[in-house]
């Protein structure tokens, strides 16, 4: 898989997570009957099944017949889902939601949703039965799901680790044999200096190897790298290109850090906070800059649902830009004369009635579909990358409000 394809998949997975979470937040049970289970990746599925079976038999004591039935149905449905898994859940674990939700008019509807491999690991097993689903832990995960590499070093020691979301994870350390600045009496000054430089060079190589071993395998998921230490150590280390070139390209900044033990990793994150926050928006900003530039200086840009869709089908879109906050559905309307037109509506609004713009006949609505999924499916078929754009900056907000949340950077001019 190419880097771009991997990033698109990652974006898409996050989008799908967000969507399910939004949906789950809305649901209510009429009693304490909605079940949520968080399962860490190292929890055996058979243990979970045993736990669910236990809850099922305890639920027999629930006084309200309706609640009892609903809880037991939810647990049975969860057990059915668990059958699809082998010994352990997928990487990072999974979360299952099941229960009878209020469907309006005194009716309930049984729903079950499974979210596999969230962006950060599920930390502990949780069984939760309440009048709503437990979504907060997943929401926190979505809010801070970045992965950053950390390197702190001076000439005596070094530590490398991760920043995963808001959590610092020290991984490896090394200490050097670089002699101090004080040479022993009788030693040639020149020889001493040369040996010392060699030792420093060796140590930088060792630190780089340590960082490479840890971070190169994760380079496609990595959002950036922070390097910390006293001057001139960190500068020498970066200027000397010791790191693998793909990691070197991911360095977001270097920061003055007094300590280079594990505590230095935490200092580094504090000092690098601003660079980290900016980084999340940098790529989105670049995409929007390019879009506006294309829009103003040529015609290699498109926006709005209809024209973008048309361009996508032609295969002329290089990158599809979708607002992260886009919450619309698309409805195909078909008239008796065989004309099909697509209209977009807010996700929770009712389907309007529509006349065909070509022949004026009343058109029948077809199946509603999420705009994002509709467009991404066409994009996938045409080899077009999709980028999700945050609304946390001016041009990102403009994409949502002025361009309907949908735009494209074109490969060539199409006149559409
Ligand atoms: Zn028609």
């Amino acid at each position: 898989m190419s880097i771009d394809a991997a990033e698109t998949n990652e974006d898409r997975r996050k989008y799908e997570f967000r969507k399910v979470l939004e949906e789950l937040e809305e649901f209510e049970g009429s009693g304490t009957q909605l079940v949520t289970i968080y399962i860490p990746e190292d929890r055996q599925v058979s243990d979970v099944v045993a736990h669910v079976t236990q809850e099922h038999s305890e639920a027999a004591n629930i006084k309200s017949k309706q609640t009892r039935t609903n809880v037991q149905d939810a647990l049975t449905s969860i057990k059915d889902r668990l059958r699809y898994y082998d010994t352990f859940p997928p990487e990072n674990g999974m979360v299952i939601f099941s229960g009878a939700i209020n469907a309006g008019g005194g009716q309930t509807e049984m729903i079950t949703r499974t979210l596999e491999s969230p962006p950060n690991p599920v930390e502990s097993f949780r069984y939760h039965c309440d009048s709503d689903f437990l979504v907060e832990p997943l929401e926190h995960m979505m809010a801070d799901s970045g992965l950053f590499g950390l390197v702190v070093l001076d000439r005596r020691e070094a530590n490398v680790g991760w920043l995963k979301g808001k959590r610092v994870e020290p991984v490896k350390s090394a200490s050097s044999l670089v002699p101090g600045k004080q040479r022993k009496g009788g030693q040639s000054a020149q020889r001493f200096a040369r040996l010392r430089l060699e030792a420093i060079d060796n140590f930088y190589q060792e630190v780089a190897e340590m960082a490479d071993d840890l971070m190169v395998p994760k380079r496609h998921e990595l959002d950036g790298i922070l390097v910390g230490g006293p001057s001139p150590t960190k500068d020498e280390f970066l200027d000397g290109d010791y790191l693998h070139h793909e990691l070197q390209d991911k360095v977001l900044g270097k920061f003055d850090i007094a300590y280079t033990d594990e505590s230095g990793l935490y200092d580094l994150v504090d000092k690098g906070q601003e660079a980290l926050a900016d980084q999340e928006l940098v790529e989105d900003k670049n995409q929007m800059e390019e879009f506006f530039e294309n829009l103003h200086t040529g015609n290699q840009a498109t926006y709005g649902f209809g024209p973008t869709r048309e361009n996508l089908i032609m295969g002329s879109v290089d990158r599809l830009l979708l607002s992260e906050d886009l919450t619309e559905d698309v409805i195909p309307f078909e008239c008796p004369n065989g004309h099909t037109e697509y209209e977009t509506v807010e996700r929770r609004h009712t389907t309007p009635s529509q006349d065909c713009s070509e022949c004026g006949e009343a058109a029948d609505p077809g199946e509603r579909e999420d705009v994002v999924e509709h467009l991404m499916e066409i994009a996938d078929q045409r080899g077009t990358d999709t980028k999700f754009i945050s609304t946390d900056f001016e041009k990102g907000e403009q994409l949502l409000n002025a361009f309907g949340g949908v735009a494209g950077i074109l490969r060539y001019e199409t006149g559409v």
Side-chain angles (χ1 to χ4, degrees):
M1 204 187 296
S2 72
I3 299 175
D4 270 359
E7 276 170 9
T8 300
N9 271 356
E10 188 61 26
D11 269 4
R12 182 177 203 153
R13 217 156 50 99
K14 282 187 189 161
Y15 170 77
E16 279 159 6
F17 263 91
R18 261 200 303 272
K19 210 178 96 177
V20 174
L21 286 181
E22 275 169 23
E23 179 195 34
L24 290 168
E25 272 166 42
E26 298 285 313
F27 293 151
E28 264 177 24
S30 47
T32 304
Q33 57 186 39
L34 302 187
V35 178
T36 311
I37 298 188
Y38 281 70
I39 309 170
E41 63 181 12
D42 60 356
R43 176 63 75 111
Q44 290 214 20
V45 173
S46 56
D47 281 358
V48 182
V49 172
H51 190 109
V52 172
T53 307
Q54 176 71 22
E55 293 288 348
H56 191 281
S57 65
E58 280 171 20
N61 301 322
I62 297 173
K63 288 202 183 71
S64 150
K65 179 175 181 290
Q66 172 114 51
T67 306
R68 179 170 69 237
T69 310
N70 285 340
V71 170
Q72 289 190 326
D73 285 353
L75 291 167
T76 302
S77 170
I78 289 171
K79 265 213 288 196
D80 286 345
R81 291 294 170 112
L82 288 168
R83 268 196 214 125
Y84 295 107
Y85 299 90
D86 296 330
T87 319
F88 290 101
E91 196 186 345
N92 282 358
M94 63 196 275
V95 188
I96 310 179
F97 304 86
S98 185
I101 57 161
N102 282 338
Q107 301 292 304
T108 60
E109 186 194 343
M110 185 71 193
I111 64 125
T112 302
R113 301 278 184 277
T114 308
L115 286 177
E116 293 181 0
S117 298
N120 289 336
V122 172
E123 304 228 352
S124 53
F125 179 83
R126 282 179 90 160
Y127 174 87
H128 182 93
C129 184
D130 206 338
S131 55
D132 39 31
F133 288 118
L134 180 67
V135 294
E136 288 76 15
L138 272 174
E139 277 172 349
H140 287 152
M141 241 183 238
M142 297 306 296
D144 40 50
S145 57
L147 178 69
F148 295 88
L150 305 174
V151 180
V152 292
L153 79 163
D154 57 19
R155 287 167 175 178
R156 304 231 133 249
E157 71 174 335
N159 270 276
V160 296
W162 297 118
L163 174 64
K164 291 179 174 172
K166 301 220 181 308
R167 205 155 40 91
V168 173
E169 200 180 289
V171 181
K172 278 199 271 187
S173 65
S175 48
S176 82
L177 301 170
V178 176
K181 283 181 183 157
Q182 225 45 38
R183 82 187 145 105
K184 293 187 195 106
Q187 215 175 1
S188 137
Q190 255 184 333
R191 184 175 148 73
F192 175 77
R194 186 169 50 78
L195 287 177
R196 190 159 181 277
L197 284 178
E198 264 178 33
I200 290 171
D201 180 63
N202 285 339
F203 183 57
Y204 288 167
Q205 283 183 34
E206 189 188 338
V207 175
E209 262 169 49
M210 193 163 73
D212 287 354
D213 285 350
L214 181 67
M215 296 170 199
V216 168
K218 293 265 183 194
R219 65 192 181 283
H220 299 320
E221 296 155 54
L222 209 53
D223 295 302
I225 295 173
L226 300 181
V227 178
S231 295
T233 316
K234 61 177 181 310
D235 313 276
E236 284 173 356
F237 179 71
L238 286 174
D239 295 345
D241 286 336
Y242 289 93
L243 283 172
H244 185 281
H245 67 97
E246 282 191 62
L247 296 187
Q248 191 86 21
D249 291 344
K250 294 242 175 198
V251 174
L252 299 177
K254 52 184 182 181
F255 301 89
D256 274 316
I257 303 294
Y259 298 100
T260 53
D261 56 5
E262 275 188 20
S263 77
L265 295 174
Y266 295 87
D267 282 353
L268 176 60
V269 170
D270 285 345
K271 292 261 169 68
Q273 218 47 265
E274 213 167 301
L276 293 172
D278 286 350
Q279 173 57 23
E280 287 178 16
L281 289 181
V282 168
E283 221 225 321
D284 291 7
K285 282 184 177 164
N286 290 342
Q287 299 289 347
M288 287 310 292
E289 290 298 335
E290 193 178 336
F291 166 74
F292 275 104
E293 205 176 294
N294 282 13
L295 192 64
H296 295 312
T297 60
N299 291 310
Q300 294 191 25
T302 184
Y303 58 85
F305 177 82
T308 305
R309 182 176 183 278
E310 219 175 308
N311 273 299
L312 270 177
I313 290 171
M314 274 190 264
S316 58
V317 182
D318 181 55
R319 263 153 296 150
L320 173 64
L321 308 179
L322 297 174
S323 173
E324 275 184 357
D325 293 344
L326 180 62
T327 53
E328 285 186 342
D329 286 339
V330 56
I331 307 162
F333 284 92
E334 211 168 310
C335 80
N337 299 320
H339 305 125
T340 307
E341 291 173 333
Y342 291 88
E343 292 296 327
T344 57
V345 288
E346 269 298 320
R347 194 174 289 161
R348 286 181 188 86
H349 291 188
T350 50
T351 302
S353 59
Q354 181 90 3
D355 292 335
C356 177
S357 68
E358 283 195 51
C359 64
E361 297 268 1
D364 277 338
E367 205 178 315
R368 277 173 93 123
E369 199 186 351
D370 184 331
V371 163
V372 171
E373 270 163 29
H374 180 87
L375 293 176
M376 277 187 91
E377 198 176 318
I378 305 172
D380 281 352
Q381 289 163 1
R382 298 290 188 273
T384 299
D385 284 336
T386 303
K387 304 281 179 196
F388 286 94
I389 307 291
S390 157
T391 49
D392 290 343
F393 63 108
E394 200 192 334
K395 291 194 165 85
E397 220 175 289
Q398 258 177 296
L399 173 64
L400 181 66
N401 297 324
F403 298 98
V406 179
I409 295 171
L410 300 184
R411 298 188 171 112
Y412 48 85
E413 208 176 300
T414 62
V416 175

